[in-house]
PDB file of all heavy atoms in Angstrom:
ATOM      1  N   GLU L  77       8.963  -0.866  -9.288  1.00  0.00           N
ATOM      2  CA  GLU L  77       7.584  -0.425  -9.363  1.00  0.00           C
ATOM      3  C   GLU L  77       6.720  -1.678  -9.165  1.00  0.00           C
ATOM      4  O   GLU L  77       6.900  -2.661  -9.858  1.00  0.00           O
ATOM      5  CB  GLU L  77       7.399   0.230 -10.744  1.00  0.00           C
ATOM      6  CG  GLU L  77       6.200   1.097 -10.886  1.00  0.00           C
ATOM      7  CD  GLU L  77       4.944   0.285 -10.961  1.00  0.00           C
ATOM      8  OE1 GLU L  77       4.863  -0.602 -11.827  1.00  0.00           O
ATOM      9  OE2 GLU L  77       4.063   0.523 -10.128  1.00  0.00           O
ATOM     10  N   PRO L  78       5.813  -1.674  -8.190  1.00  0.00           N
ATOM     11  CA  PRO L  78       5.172  -2.934  -7.787  1.00  0.00           C
ATOM     12  C   PRO L  78       4.049  -3.449  -8.694  1.00  0.00           C
ATOM     13  O   PRO L  78       3.794  -4.650  -8.707  1.00  0.00           O
ATOM     14  CB  PRO L  78       4.602  -2.611  -6.405  1.00  0.00           C
ATOM     15  CG  PRO L  78       4.341  -1.155  -6.427  1.00  0.00           C
ATOM     16  CD  PRO L  78       5.411  -0.570  -7.304  1.00  0.00           C
ATOM     17  N   HIS L  79       3.386  -2.570  -9.441  1.00  0.00           N
ATOM     18  CA  HIS L  79       2.297  -3.033 -10.298  1.00  0.00           C
ATOM     19  C   HIS L  79       2.838  -4.108 -11.233  1.00  0.00           C
ATOM     20  O   HIS L  79       3.894  -3.940 -11.828  1.00  0.00           O
ATOM     21  CB  HIS L  79       1.767  -1.882 -11.158  1.00  0.00           C
ATOM     22  CG  HIS L  79       0.978  -0.874 -10.393  1.00  0.00           C
ATOM     23  ND1 HIS L  79      -0.381  -0.931 -10.284  1.00  0.00           N
ATOM     24  CD2 HIS L  79       1.351   0.223  -9.715  1.00  0.00           C
ATOM     25  CE1 HIS L  79      -0.810   0.091  -9.573  1.00  0.00           C
ATOM     26  NE2 HIS L  79       0.224   0.814  -9.206  1.00  0.00           N
ATOM     27  N   LEU L 103      -3.538  -5.573  -6.804  1.00  0.00           N
ATOM     28  CA  LEU L 103      -2.433  -4.709  -7.226  1.00  0.00           C
ATOM     29  C   LEU L 103      -1.396  -5.488  -8.024  1.00  0.00           C
ATOM     30  O   LEU L 103      -0.850  -4.990  -8.996  1.00  0.00           O
ATOM     31  CB  LEU L 103      -1.769  -4.072  -5.993  1.00  0.00           C
ATOM     32  CG  LEU L 103      -0.673  -3.048  -6.289  1.00  0.00           C
ATOM     33  CD1 LEU L 103      -1.275  -1.731  -6.761  1.00  0.00           C
ATOM     34  CD2 LEU L 103       0.218  -2.806  -5.079  1.00  0.00           C
ATOM     35  N   PRO L 164      -6.935  -0.271  -5.911  1.00  0.00           N
ATOM     36  CA  PRO L 164      -6.201  -0.852  -4.765  1.00  0.00           C
ATOM     37  C   PRO L 164      -5.409   0.159  -3.922  1.00  0.00           C
ATOM     38  O   PRO L 164      -4.886  -0.214  -2.873  1.00  0.00           O
ATOM     39  CB  PRO L 164      -5.248  -1.843  -5.444  1.00  0.00           C
ATOM     40  CG  PRO L 164      -4.996  -1.261  -6.786  1.00  0.00           C
ATOM     41  CD  PRO L 164      -6.255  -0.548  -7.194  1.00  0.00           C
ATOM     42  N   HIS L 165      -5.315   1.433  -4.344  1.00  0.00           N
ATOM     43  CA  HIS L 165      -4.390   2.365  -3.675  1.00  0.00           C
ATOM     44  C   HIS L 165      -4.909   2.895  -2.332  1.00  0.00           C
ATOM     45  O   HIS L 165      -4.867   4.104  -2.060  1.00  0.00           O
ATOM     46  CB  HIS L 165      -4.080   3.546  -4.600  1.00  0.00           C
ATOM     47  CG  HIS L 165      -3.424   3.163  -5.876  1.00  0.00           C
ATOM     48  ND1 HIS L 165      -4.125   2.826  -7.014  1.00  0.00           N
ATOM     49  CD2 HIS L 165      -2.110   3.044  -6.191  1.00  0.00           C
ATOM     50  CE1 HIS L 165      -3.275   2.518  -7.981  1.00  0.00           C
ATOM     51  NE2 HIS L 165      -2.052   2.633  -7.518  1.00  0.00           N
ATOM     52  N   TRP L 167      -3.723   2.706   0.665  1.00  0.00           N
ATOM     53  CA  TRP L 167      -2.756   3.191   1.657  1.00  0.00           C
ATOM     54  C   TRP L 167      -2.521   4.695   1.566  1.00  0.00           C
ATOM     55  O   TRP L 167      -1.967   5.298   2.492  1.00  0.00           O
ATOM     56  CB  TRP L 167      -1.426   2.434   1.531  1.00  0.00           C
ATOM     57  CG  TRP L 167      -0.704   2.689   0.229  1.00  0.00           C
ATOM     58  CD1 TRP L 167       0.256   3.634   0.006  1.00  0.00           C
ATOM     59  CD2 TRP L 167      -0.885   2.005  -1.023  1.00  0.00           C
ATOM     60  NE1 TRP L 167       0.677   3.577  -1.316  1.00  0.00           N
ATOM     61  CE2 TRP L 167      -0.005   2.595  -1.955  1.00  0.00           C
ATOM     62  CE3 TRP L 167      -1.720   0.958  -1.438  1.00  0.00           C
ATOM     63  CZ2 TRP L 167       0.062   2.170  -3.285  1.00  0.00           C
ATOM     64  CZ3 TRP L 167      -1.648   0.536  -2.763  1.00  0.00           C
ATOM     65  CH2 TRP L 167      -0.769   1.133  -3.668  1.00  0.00           C
ATOM     66  N   HIS L 229       0.317   8.605 -12.471  1.00  0.00           N
ATOM     67  CA  HIS L 229      -0.718   7.575 -12.554  1.00  0.00           C
ATOM     68  C   HIS L 229      -1.733   7.816 -11.441  1.00  0.00           C
ATOM     69  O   HIS L 229      -1.441   8.472 -10.450  1.00  0.00           O
ATOM     70  CB  HIS L 229      -0.140   6.153 -12.610  1.00  0.00           C
ATOM     71  CG  HIS L 229       0.123   5.454 -11.319  1.00  0.00           C
ATOM     72  ND1 HIS L 229       1.157   5.769 -10.474  1.00  0.00           N
ATOM     73  CD2 HIS L 229      -0.508   4.406 -10.730  1.00  0.00           C
ATOM     74  CE1 HIS L 229       1.159   4.954  -9.437  1.00  0.00           C
ATOM     75  NE2 HIS L 229       0.143   4.113  -9.556  1.00  0.00           N
ATOM     76  N   ALA L 230      -2.928   7.325 -11.659  1.00  0.00           N
ATOM     77  CA  ALA L 230      -4.059   7.731 -10.812  1.00  0.00           C
ATOM     78  C   ALA L 230      -4.067   6.978  -9.481  1.00  0.00           C
ATOM     79  O   ALA L 230      -4.980   6.235  -9.171  1.00  0.00           O
ATOM     80  CB  ALA L 230      -5.365   7.509 -11.568  1.00  0.00           C
ATOM     81  N   ALA L 231      -3.031   7.210  -8.675  1.00  0.00           N
ATOM     82  CA  ALA L 231      -2.891   6.484  -7.413  1.00  0.00           C
ATOM     83  C   ALA L 231      -3.601   7.180  -6.251  1.00  0.00           C
ATOM     84  O   ALA L 231      -3.805   6.579  -5.203  1.00  0.00           O
ATOM     85  CB  ALA L 231      -1.407   6.322  -7.074  1.00  0.00           C
ATOM     86  N   LEU L 249      -4.962   3.650 -13.367  1.00  0.00           N
ATOM     87  CA  LEU L 249      -4.581   3.050 -12.093  1.00  0.00           C
ATOM     88  C   LEU L 249      -3.244   2.321 -12.185  1.00  0.00           C
ATOM     89  O   LEU L 249      -2.570   2.111 -11.193  1.00  0.00           O
ATOM     90  CB  LEU L 249      -5.660   2.056 -11.641  1.00  0.00           C
ATOM     91  CG  LEU L 249      -6.996   2.692 -11.213  1.00  0.00           C
ATOM     92  CD1 LEU L 249      -8.044   1.608 -11.007  1.00  0.00           C
ATOM     93  CD2 LEU L 249      -6.834   3.526  -9.954  1.00  0.00           C
ATOM     94  N   ASP L 250      -2.877   1.914 -13.386  1.00  0.00           N
ATOM     95  CA  ASP L 250      -1.615   1.229 -13.606  1.00  0.00           C
ATOM     96  C   ASP L 250      -0.662   2.173 -14.337  1.00  0.00           C
ATOM     97  O   ASP L 250      -1.000   2.689 -15.395  1.00  0.00           O
ATOM     98  CB  ASP L 250      -1.868  -0.029 -14.446  1.00  0.00           C
ATOM     99  CG  ASP L 250      -0.632  -0.907 -14.532  1.00  0.00           C
ATOM    100  OD1 ASP L 250       0.491  -0.373 -14.646  1.00  0.00           O
ATOM    101  OD2 ASP L 250      -0.799  -2.134 -14.493  1.00  0.00           O
ATOM    102  N   PRO L 251       0.539   2.413 -13.785  1.00  0.00           N
ATOM    103  CA  PRO L 251       1.459   3.373 -14.404  1.00  0.00           C
ATOM    104  C   PRO L 251       1.935   2.968 -15.799  1.00  0.00           C
ATOM    105  O   PRO L 251       2.456   3.798 -16.538  1.00  0.00           O
ATOM    106  CB  PRO L 251       2.635   3.449 -13.424  1.00  0.00           C
ATOM    107  CG  PRO L 251       2.499   2.289 -12.520  1.00  0.00           C
ATOM    108  CD  PRO L 251       1.069   1.865 -12.533  1.00  0.00           C
ATOM    109  N   GLU L 278       6.470  10.848 -10.233  1.00  0.00           N
ATOM    110  CA  GLU L 278       6.719   9.902  -9.142  1.00  0.00           C
ATOM    111  C   GLU L 278       8.179   9.499  -9.104  1.00  0.00           C
ATOM    112  O   GLU L 278       8.911   9.751 -10.048  1.00  0.00           O
ATOM    113  CB  GLU L 278       5.884   8.630  -9.358  1.00  0.00           C
ATOM    114  CG  GLU L 278       4.434   8.920  -9.599  1.00  0.00           C
ATOM    115  CD  GLU L 278       3.649   7.673  -9.952  1.00  0.00           C
ATOM    116  OE1 GLU L 278       4.228   6.568  -9.890  1.00  0.00           O
ATOM    117  OE2 GLU L 278       2.470   7.813 -10.268  1.00  0.00           O
ATOM    118  N   PRO L 302       3.562   8.062  -4.662  1.00  0.00           N
ATOM    119  CA  PRO L 302       2.503   7.114  -4.320  1.00  0.00           C
ATOM    120  C   PRO L 302       2.959   6.029  -3.336  1.00  0.00           C
ATOM    121  O   PRO L 302       2.183   5.124  -3.033  1.00  0.00           O
ATOM    122  CB  PRO L 302       2.097   6.513  -5.670  1.00  0.00           C
ATOM    123  CG  PRO L 302       3.273   6.701  -6.553  1.00  0.00           C
ATOM    124  CD  PRO L 302       4.053   7.882  -6.047  1.00  0.00           C
ATOM    125  N   GLU L 304       4.816   3.494  -3.434  1.00  0.00           N
ATOM    126  CA  GLU L 304       4.764   2.091  -3.839  1.00  0.00           C
ATOM    127  C   GLU L 304       6.098   1.414  -3.579  1.00  0.00           C
ATOM    128  O   GLU L 304       6.268   0.221  -3.777  1.00  0.00           O
ATOM    129  CB  GLU L 304       4.303   2.005  -5.294  1.00  0.00           C
ATOM    130  CG  GLU L 304       2.864   2.526  -5.390  1.00  0.00           C
ATOM    131  CD  GLU L 304       2.219   2.462  -6.746  1.00  0.00           C
ATOM    132  OE1 GLU L 304       2.920   2.226  -7.736  1.00  0.00           O
ATOM    133  OE2 GLU L 304       0.995   2.674  -6.808  1.00  0.00           O
TER     134      GLU L 304
HETATM  135 ZN1  LIG R   1      -0.222   2.477  -8.300  1.00  0.00          ZN
END
Side-chain angles (χ1 to χ4, degrees):
E77 197 287 305
H79 288 266
L103 185 75
H165 299 89
W167 66 93
H229 88 287
L249 290 171
D250 189 321
E278 308 174 6
E304 295 183 348

